[in-house]
Amino acid sequence: MASPIAGGVDCDLHPAVPHLTSLLPYMNDYWRDQVTTRGMTDLISQSYPVNSPISSRPDWRPAQGKPGSGIADLQRQALDPFGTAYGICNPLYGVQMVFSEDMANAFCRALNDWLAKEWLDKDARLRGSIVIPVQSIEKAVAEIERCAADQRFVQVLMLVMGDMPLGKRHYWPIYAAAERLGLPIGIHAGSAYHNPPTSVGWGSYHIEDYVAQAQAFQTQLTSLIVEGVFARHPNLKMVMLESGFTWLPPFLWRLHKFWRGVRMETPWVDRAPLEIVRSNIRFSLQPVDAPPEGDTLNRLFDHMQSDELILFSTDYPHWQFDGDEVLPKGLSADLVRKIMIDNPHATYPRLKA
Amino acid sequence: MNVQLREPPQAAPSTSIKTAIADCDIHPARATKDELYPYLAKRWHSHLETFGVHAYQGMMEGPPYPKAQPNASRRDAYPPEGGPQGSSLSFMQKQHLDPNNVALGVLNPLNTGQGIRNQDLAAAICAAINDWQIEKWTSKDSRLKGSVVVANEDGVSAAAEIRKRAGDKNFVQVLLLSRNVEPLGQRRYWPIYEAAQDAGLPIGVHAFGFGGNPITASGWPSYYIEEMVGHSQCQQTALASLVLEGVFERFPKLKMVMVEAGFGWAPSLAWRLDKVFSKLHAEVPHLKRTPSEYIRDHIWWTTQPMEDPESRDHLFQLIEWIGWDKLLFATDYPHWDYDEPSRVLPAGVSDANRQAFYLDNAKQLYGIS
C-alpha cells in the first residue's frame, strides 16, 4: 500500500440526509406543508436499502441511522485518519428523481442550505457541491448562482444517469454558469431511474446496476466531447465521481479512432478526444477497478499517459477499500502527492479562497 | 478503418496477405429487396408490401442514426453488376476473399428478422435468411460459413430454428445482436442458449440491434459517432448480464463471441465485476465462480474495429490480459470501418500468436479442420 500524505483533498464524501424531515427547517411553509400533508418520508436515490454491503463499509456502519449521517463519524473515520485538509461533500439524495421541477427546486435549495449549516459550518475542512434541480435549466442556473456566493461551494453536482445525455445543448446554460463562477461540474454515479440503468434495458440485480455505472460514464464522456461542450467552454472542468478509471485508455483509443473516421459529423470537435480529456476531465480515485497487484495498475497509469487525471477520494462511507488502503499499492511518492494534493487543487480553484 | 474518398481502382487491395486468414465478420447483403421472396411463404410477401417489418423505430427507410457512408459500406465495394455492397459473391471473392487469402469467412447477415416486433414475421424472415445463406453463399463457396439467425425475442421459436439447423455444416454459429428488448442474460433468451449448446454451436453477439431501449443509460444521444462508440458500452452491459444471470453456470459448454464491439474494455469490465462481486456475492448465489473466470472460459472476441493505441506495447499488454487465444480476426467487409488484414497487427508478434490471431483460434472455435 502507498501511504497517504497529510494535506490531501478528499473529493468524494457522502454526508447523508437522515430523513426528509431533516430538511423541513430549510423549506418554506408551502413545502413544509406539502411534505407533511402528503406523507412524504424520504428520498433515497439508491435502489438498495441501507443494509446492502455497498451502502457502507462494515466498520463505518453506525449503530443506528444512515451511514454517513453523523459529522463526528465522518471526522473520525474519513478526515482524521488520512490527514485530509479539505473534504468535498457530495450529498446523494433523490432530488433528481422527482418529476416536478417545483418540488425538485424546493428540495435542492433545502438540501444545499442544510449542507452549509449542518456540515460546512461545523468543520472548516469541509467543502460542498451544489445539488441542482436538473428538471429545470432556469432553476438550476438560479440555484448555482445563489449558492456560489458562498465560496465553500466548490462544485456543481449532477448524476451520470439522467433524462438525457449530458452533452446535449439543453444543459449548456448550466455549464456556462459553472465555468463563469469557477465551479467544476462533478458527475456522480447514480441514476434518476428515468431511463433503464443499462443501455440494453433493465437487469435483475443490484450488482448489475452498479457495474453499469462505468458504462454510463463512458457514454456521457462521449456525449460531452462530441457535442462540443469543451469547445464552447474551454475552461470548464468536469470530474467523474465514483466512475472507475481503468476503462479510460481503451475507451479513448476507440473514441479517437471513430473521431478520425467520422469527424465530419461533429466538425466543432477541434481537438483529439484524448487532449480534451487531459485538459478538461478528471476522475476520482475510488473505486479502483484493477487487480490488487501494483504492476498491472502501474501499466494502466502508463496507458493513461498522464499523472494529472486522478483525484484522491475515499467515497466515504461506501465500501471501496478496507483499513487504510485507500491508495493502491506501488504508486510512486510523486504520483501520490499529485493524486492527493496537486491534482485536486488544480481542478478546484475555489479551494484557494 | 478504410475510408475511400477518392475513386479507387476497383477490386485491387492495397496489399496482399500471403498466409491464410479467417475473417469472422463478413456481411452478405441482398442484391434486391425481393431477393428473399423465394424463401418466404406467399402470405409474407403481401404482408411486407402492406405493413412493412414494424421495427422498434418509426423510420421505414434507413437507420435512426444515418451512417457515415451509404449502407455503412466502402464506396469501392459496389459490385460491377449493380446492387449494394456485399451483395455479389463473385465480387466479394475478387475484392476480398481471394486477394486476402481468406480460408474461412463467417457470414453475419444483418437486416434479418431480428429486432422485428411481429414474432411470426421475425421467425419467417430468419428462416428465409438461413436458406438464402446456403443457396446464395455457402453452397457456392466452401470457404464461407453461415450464422443461424433467429427470432431473438421469441426463445421457443428461436430454439426450434437452431435445432432445425443443428448438424448442418453450412453453419458455424448462432447470431444474436447486443441490443434487444432485455439484457441478454434474461431468462426469455435461455431457450436459445440451451439449443445452441445442444447443437454445439457458439453464439456470436454482434453489435447493433434495436430493442426499443434508449442506447445509453441517460437516453438517446445525438450522433452516429455516439452510436458507434456506444456499441462497446451496450456489449459490456449485455455481457455483464449474461455472466450475472448465471447463463454460463446453467450452460457450461456454451461459447460466445463478442463481434464488432471492441475488446479493449474486457479487462476493466472483468476487474470491476470481480471487485463488486466480492462484496455482493450473496445477491447472486447461483454464481459458483468469479465473473472473470466465466468470461475467461466462455468468451471470444473478434478484432475489428481493432484497438489502436499510440504505443504497440499498450496493445500487447492489453492482449496479454485477455489472452492471444481469445481473439478472432475480422474485417467487417464490406463496411466502411473495414480493417485491412495486412495492417492490423504491428510488428513484434510471435509467429505462434500471429497464427492463432489470424486463423487458428477461429478454426478451433468453429470446428473447421
Side-chain angles (χ1 to χ4, degrees), chain B residues 66-139:
Chain B
K67 307 287 186 185
Q69 305 205 30
N71 305 313
S73 292
R74 292 166 49 167
R75 291 175 189 278
D76 66 344
Y78 283 106
E81 66 265 40
Q85 305 97 321
S87 64
S88 158
L89 172 61
S90 62
F91 189 65
M92 183 188 287
Q93 290 166 331
K94 191 171 160 201
Q95 184 175 42
H96 177 47
L97 302 179
D98 298 344
N100 286 321
N101 206 353
V102 176
L104 165 64
V106 179
L107 301 174
N108 288 322
L110 304 174
N111 303 314
T112 68
Q114 300 185 324
I116 288 177
R117 291 199 260 167
N118 177 331
Q119 290 305 303
D120 290 329
L121 177 60
I125 292 181
C126 285
I129 289 278
N130 293 334
D131 290 337
W132 168 83
Q133 287 184 80
I134 297 173
E135 188 160 325
K136 179 168 175 178
W137 303 92
T138 59
S139 67

Side-chain angles (χ1 to χ4, degrees), chain A residues 211 265 346:
Chain A
V211 169
E265 190 191 21

Side-chain angles (χ1 to χ4, degrees), chain A residues 105 139 203:
Chain A
N105 192 40
K139 292 184 172 71

